[in-house]
Amino acid sequence: MAIRPPAAVPSIPRRPRILLIIAAIVVVLFLGGSRLIDFYVNWLWYGEVGFRSVFSTVLFTRTVQFVLGGLLIGGLVWLSMWLAYRFRPVFVPVSGPEDPIARYRTVIIQRLRLFAIAIPVAVGLIAGLAAQTDWQTVQMFLHGTSFGITDPQFGKDVSFYTFDLPFYRLLLDWVMVGVALSFVAALITHYLFGGIRLAGRSGQISSAARAHLASLAGVFVLLKALAYFFDRYELLFSDRNPNFNGATYTDLNAVMPAKLILLFISLICAIAFFVSIFRRNLQLPAIALVLLVLSSVLVGAAWPAILQQFVVGPNANEREAPSISRNIEATRQAFGLTDDKVTVEAYSGTSTATPAAVRADTSTIPNIRLLDPAKLTKTFTQLQQRRNFYGFPDKLDIDRYTVNNERQDYVVAARELDSSGLVGNQTDWINRHLVYTHGNGFVAAPANKVNAALEDTGGRGGLPEFTVSDTSTKGAIDVTQPRIYYGELIKDYSIVGAEPGAAPREYDSDSQQYTYTGKGGVSLGNFFNRLVFSIDNGEIRILFNDSINDESKIIFNRDPLDRVKNVAPWLTVDGDPYPAVVDGKIQWIVDGYTTLKQYPYAQQVPLGDATRDSLQGGVQRLPDTNVSYLRNSVKATVDAYDGTVTLYAFDETDPVLKTWEKVFPGTVQPGSAISPALREHFRYPEDQFKVQRQLLTRYHVTNPGEFFSTVSFWDVPSDPTVQGNTGSGQEPQPPYYLLAGLPNQEGASFQLTSALVSLQRQFLAAYMTADSDPENYGKITILQLPADTQTLGPQQVQAQFLGSPTVSQELNLLRQNQTTIDYGNLLTLPVAGGLLYVEPVYIERAGQDSSYPQLARVLVSYGGRVGYDANLATALDQVFGAGAGGGVTQGGQGTPPPTDTGTNPPPNPGAGGGSNPAAAAAAAEISQALAQLKSAQQSGDFAAQGQALAALDAAVKKFQAAQGG
């Protein structure tokens, strides 16, 4: 029956419409203005550091992808809607007066242009925003470099899998999304305009709608056939077998043929859809589609499962052997663990070394590290902070320097400006941003000695022998520019610079001010820049402060890691930058990695888990992503004074680095530009070492059968110095930087080392070290212990230490007088054919903010024998015999550090008390009683032990009374 068409939808009055338009413009300006300000600030910053080409290249690439992605998806949706509308039925019957479709149809027809434009544009905008995030995939495809290595299955260069295949898959996925959205848009449009009607038992569909939808379905199935084609290559990244990555026997003999079968069935299905365009029924494409679905289940899933269960499972060690061999070779190649870089040597691990043999080891014994950089931040802070607004990072660093013709490893730190340390009026905006602008000084201490034994100087021993270079002091490590404007602790922006002749205003010391003269910072010399940064920082005073002039600059983005990440967004940056003095300047050195997610047959490694250890306390440094390729291809430096960022090509053979150098030409300096002075301070990076260490626990095995059995696998030991670090939640022991020797090696080298234990056991299995010296940089040496021996590992040695009656008694004595004990790093050192364990023991006064750790004792273990003393030489003598410690340079009688350090810390436990004679006398009595107790314990005289304990108790009470209870 004929019915009256629905009433027209009322339009919005003119005034509300204008108000809505104005509101929309305000919202767009607000959101867009923020983006424009961010864009301009970034443009200025990249210009400051000289990497504006990186900013413009990334921006251009993302813009092009945004436009192309939006045009592709939005265009396909618009075309599909237009075709559906263009070939709509001329007459559309209405089912009744309340037909909802008729109402919607009327609304759309009245605003046809709005819907025709708004829907595709909205879809295109969303698609464009998603498409622009994959700019790295596109650039690697456009500039890919050959590896010169072919995969063992298809014979294609690895670059096909790393650069080409991800792009092909990305493009295919987007086209499939576009076709799928076009199908949905066509379906809805045909339904709204009568091409599809649901009235009746089976409904009706017009010829035009059938042809349109069948064409889109056919194209989609064709694309699915192409996806099956690419799926064959992606089988080389399979994780079907939990023990290794890469195509398994089942993948090669069941899944891969299944992909080809499904490819041909998809072609047949697509043809059936195209044929249905000329036939009135959809039975043929429906049958073909059912065939594709059934084939996917039977051929793609059931058959591989049957083959895995009845053919591979019972004979997995033989069936998977070729795939395991491929996995081993690819993994070692992808992570730099090839035979030319890794040397495995047999090492007994047991020895009955004589004192003379130990004394003759002039490479390791004199350089034994007693200072743990993870424990001494409070010591550095209390003794070298100078002012409350200076600070040191939570974990100090280790580097090596040659002083007075003697090469030695040092615990090093930059005395940075700590923005969080400002208090009171120091937090005023002027003080915070215009006065307190920079840190001051480079602090170092030889890692192998302390000023004196703890008791030898009335409790003022066990401390580092500092060498400091700042604006007022020239230490053994000469620094010509000690001011630090860029560092890990500086979070705020600073405004620096002054007109010629103007009085300096930046705090430099209590007696002088300073004006920054470096090239770092963005100019605030014009009103527009001041306005932009005022808005960006939400601070109106930037605009109206009279101290800001034509020569003023704003310094921001001051963290070395952030600066390197921004100028090289294609790098994965190591989480531990470290300061080094190079040609008199403090340079932050940052390691940069090139990574890939898809390297055929290589093992997938989760970076976040692989690089976690006990020092991080659960903090994740590297991104929690899986990679199957890792190279330390770039060394970056950030000048601590002017912020200059320099990228150096360190592994110039890396195809991934070559690819990115094509993308950003001129941004990476060649390796020949690295000065010898800078190269001397390059360290083998910890994060790369931890990834390789985890892999080598398995991939030191090259025999497929042995790899399958896992009998020869190792484990990374848990950190024995962390209480309760056992069980499923244990944190791995971190690797340690050492200056030490190796068997059959002349002289000491700067190494990164780690012990390895047997699989699910605590006995030592191997010792791994990576050389950092320029002539042997990157050489990894593994000392493998015999499988039939049971050499104690780190956890067992720690248990041996704490279980020793002498050690446990004296540790209990140290815990008295409100002190806490902290165990330093347990070092494993190959010495005289065996393995020497050394662990420093620190004490600290409990419950005191101004307390700090001091080296109190040194634990030593060798061949099951334990030594324990305040002096390393004595502890070695206890283990090896008299004279063994003759080569130790721990330090003996030293000059106590001054107590006036800017913070005036109170004396630590056992200290003489400075100007307190009674406390000093009591401390001397405590030391005497401890010596008597030790002598009595060694002689087994229980009566003398009782007398010594009584004397010790009396002396402790005297000390407590002298200290005020």
Side-chain angles (χ1 to χ4, degrees), residues 416-427:
E416 300 183 48
L417 175 71
D418 184 0
S419 305
S420 64
L422 297 171
V423 296
N425 195 52
Q426 294 172 349
T427 61

Side-chain angles (χ1 to χ4, degrees), residues 169 171-181 220 223-224 227:
R169 176 61 78 177
L171 188 59
L172 179 61
D173 289 344
W174 275 107
V175 175
M176 292 181 72
V177 168
V179 173
L181 290 176
F220 186 86
L223 294 173
K224 185 60 179 176

Side-chain angles (χ1 to χ4, degrees), residues 419-464:
S419 305
S420 64
L422 297 171
V423 296
N425 195 52
Q426 294 172 349
T427 61
D428 176 79
W429 182 84
I430 293 177
N431 286 331
R432 191 177 191 91
H433 298 289
L434 279 71
V435 176
Y436 300 114
T437 60
H438 60 277
N440 182 7
F442 184 81
V443 182
N448 65 333
K449 57 184 176 182
V450 292
N451 65 323
L454 180 64
E455 294 87 356
D456 291 349
T457 54
R460 296 295 295 171
L463 297 173

Side-chain angles (χ1 to χ4, degrees), residues 662-843:
K662 295 176 185 177
V663 178
F664 303 110
T667 58
V668 182
Q669 303 296 316
S672 58
I674 302 174
S675 68
L678 176 60
R679 195 178 290 271
E680 282 288 336
H681 291 283
F682 284 165
R683 307 186 313 187
Y684 199 85
E686 284 187 70
D687 287 337
Q688 181 185 27
F689 184 86
K690 285 186 278 190
V691 170
Q692 293 175 323
R693 175 179 68 171
Q694 177 175 300
L695 287 169
L696 282 172
T697 59
R698 303 171 62 201
Y699 288 93
H700 68 280
V701 178
T702 57
N703 181 277
E706 189 178 354
F707 188 96
F708 181 84
S709 70
T710 73
V711 66
S712 300
F713 284 3
W714 303 330
D715 268 337
V716 176
S718 57
D719 191 343
T721 65
V722 178
Q723 186 175 2
N725 189 29
T726 57
S728 57
Q730 63 187 11
E731 297 288 354
Q733 184 183 34
Y736 300 121
Y737 287 105
L738 302 169
L739 189 64
L742 283 175
N744 304 318
Q745 172 186 295
E746 293 186 6
S749 61
F750 190 66
Q751 312 165 18
L752 184 57
T753 67
S754 176
L756 297 170
V757 295
S758 302
L759 183 65
Q760 297 296 309
R761 301 291 302 279
Q762 295 299 333
F763 291 105
L764 197 69
Y767 173 82
M768 175 182 173
T769 176
D771 202 320
S772 294
D773 287 351
E775 58 273 16
N776 293 313
Y777 185 95
K779 179 183 178 182
I780 297 176
T781 301
I782 297 177
L783 303 180
Q784 185 171 359
L785 277 64
D788 57 350
T789 61
Q790 291 188 336
T791 304
L792 298 184
Q795 283 285 2
Q796 295 169 322
V797 169
Q798 184 74 3
Q800 183 188 44
F801 283 153
L802 301 183
S804 169
T806 301
V807 173
S808 61
Q809 289 176 14
E810 293 212 18
L811 289 179
N812 288 332
L813 290 175
L814 289 174
R815 288 191 180 95
Q816 294 183 18
N817 197 29
Q818 296 181 339
T819 62
T820 59
I821 289 179
D822 198 2
Y823 300 101
N825 39 216
L826 178 57
L827 306 178
T828 307
L829 304 167
V831 172
L835 288 163
L836 174 67
Y837 287 95
V838 179
E839 178 178 285
V841 179
Y842 299 93
I843 64 169

